[in-house]
Amino acid sequence: MNVKRLFGTILTILGIIGLIYAAVVFANTGGGVRDIKALTIYGILGIVFFIAGIGLVKTTKDES
C-alpha cells in the first residue's frame, strides 16, 4: 500500500472523528462561548482533514 494512500486514509478517519465530536458538542451545547468555539474548531478541522484525506486517496495512483 502506498504511503500517500495510507496517510490519506488516516486523515479521512481523523476528519470523521472530528466531525462526529463536533456533532456531540453541538448536541450537548448550552450556548456558551466556550461551546461555540469548540464546535467551530472541531467542525472546521474535521472538514479540512476529511477533504484532504479524500483528495489524497482519490488522486494517488495505485502502482503495485
Side-chain angles (χ1 to χ4, degrees), residues 1-48:
M1 186 172 212
N2 199 352
V3 175
K4 285 185 182 179
R5 261 185 193 252
L6 181 64
F7 188 63
T9 305
I10 291 170
L11 280 177
T12 304
I13 291 170
L14 285 174
I16 291 171
I17 290 170
L19 289 173
I20 290 173
Y21 189 71
V24 168
V25 170
F26 178 73
N28 295 330
T29 188
V33 175
R34 180 174 275 176
D35 293 335
I36 294 172
K37 284 183 183 178
L39 176 65
T40 305
I41 291 169
Y42 290 123
I44 290 173
L45 283 177
I47 289 172
V48 168

